[in-house]
Amino acid sequence: MNEQKKTTKSDKLLNLIMCVVVAVILVIGVYATYGKLSTNIKDKAVKEGRAPATVDYLARQADLDIPDYLAQYGLELNDTIKPDTAESDMMDNMTLENYLKYNGGEQTADEVLEGTKLTDKATKDTLWKDFLPMAPAASIVGDEATFNQLKEQYGFDNDDITWGELEELMKSKQEEQQGDAAQATEAPQE
């Protein structure tokens, strides 16, 4: 008595329509949640230190839109500063005055310029990325013992070395060490 009903064309059409409706709902659901899921994944990576903070992330953390967030530091969206620009690149493009404001420094730009003896070479409107290489390395390092360790480690005795010169020295020493290590691994063993 179990008779199977034969499928008709209308049954097949109804099944096809239901499949299409389910697929459309699924696509709409993925589209609607993808941006939020993607943002949450990126935010988690930043919080865990696996990705750098970006302008977009920082603006959302401050509960501001990106143009307003950037404007408070004298920046705007352009070819250099984009929503996915890393925080370090954003800071490099701040003026000395805005960089100090961003970092919550208690010194004014004029005090920093005076303390680093750069009043004749820079102003409060000098970009951080231009100011930093000119600054005395001792003032950037801050701690005298750490500065003395760097002097010993990298073999310089100039107390007036700039941060830019010290960076170049460290870079060349690192390249030299990597070259020595590469030669040691390539040398035939007897």
Side-chain angles (χ1 to χ4, degrees):
M1 298 257 167
N2 252 347
E3 293 179 29
Q4 286 199 331
K5 180 181 169 188
K6 290 187 176 184
T7 57
T8 63
K9 284 186 179 184
S10 64
D11 291 337
K12 289 179 182 179
L13 183 60
L14 185 60
N15 285 341
L16 178 64
I17 291 172
M18 286 191 317
C19 286
V20 168
V21 168
V22 168
V24 167
I25 290 172
L26 184 62
V27 167
I28 290 171
V30 168
Y31 179 76
T33 59
Y34 175 76
K36 183 75 174 159
L37 289 173
S38 175
T39 299
N40 287 341
I41 290 169
K42 289 177 186 175
D43 287 358
K44 184 177 180 184
V46 170
K47 288 175 186 170
E48 292 175 351
R50 294 182 289 116
T54 61
V55 170
D56 177 52
Y57 173 82
L58 296 167
R60 282 187 285 106
Q61 296 303 305
D63 202 23
L64 294 170
D65 65 1
I66 294 172
D68 290 342
Y69 178 76
L70 292 172
Q72 65 186 344
Y73 302 112
L75 299 171
E76 60 185 32
L77 288 172
N78 55 35
D79 291 342
T80 305
I81 306 293
K82 300 175 182 164
D84 63 345
T85 298
E87 179 182 26
S88 59
D89 293 335
M90 176 189 75
M91 290 170 31
D92 279 349
N93 288 285
M94 290 180 183
T95 63
L96 174 60
E97 184 174 51
N98 283 319
Y99 178 86
L100 295 172
K101 176 182 173 184
Y102 181 78
N103 282 319
E106 295 184 17
Q107 287 184 310
T108 66
D110 291 332
E111 291 170 336
V112 169
L113 289 168
E114 225 172 271
T116 57
K117 297 178 178 69
L118 292 174
T119 52
D120 59 334
K121 294 181 182 176
T123 68
K124 65 182 182 178
D125 295 323
T126 301
L127 294 183
W128 178 251
K129 66 182 173 187
D130 297 330
F131 173 80
L132 189 59
M134 291 187 287
S139 66
I140 300 299
V141 172
D143 181 52
E144 188 175 339
T146 304
F147 185 68
N148 288 334
Q149 286 177 337
L150 287 172
K151 284 171 60 173
E152 186 177 314
Q153 181 178 356
Y154 291 103
F156 67 93
D157 58 359
N158 179 4
D159 286 342
D160 295 328
I161 191 169
T162 66
W163 182 253
E165 292 168 339
L166 181 56
E167 277 187 318
E168 284 298 315
L169 179 62
M170 291 187 299
K171 182 180 174 183
S172 68
K173 290 284 187 179
Q174 187 178 36
E175 288 171 355
E176 185 179 300
Q177 290 172 349
Q178 289 173 345
D180 291 346
Q183 283 181 346
T185 58
E186 291 175 1
Q189 296 189 6
E190 294 179 32

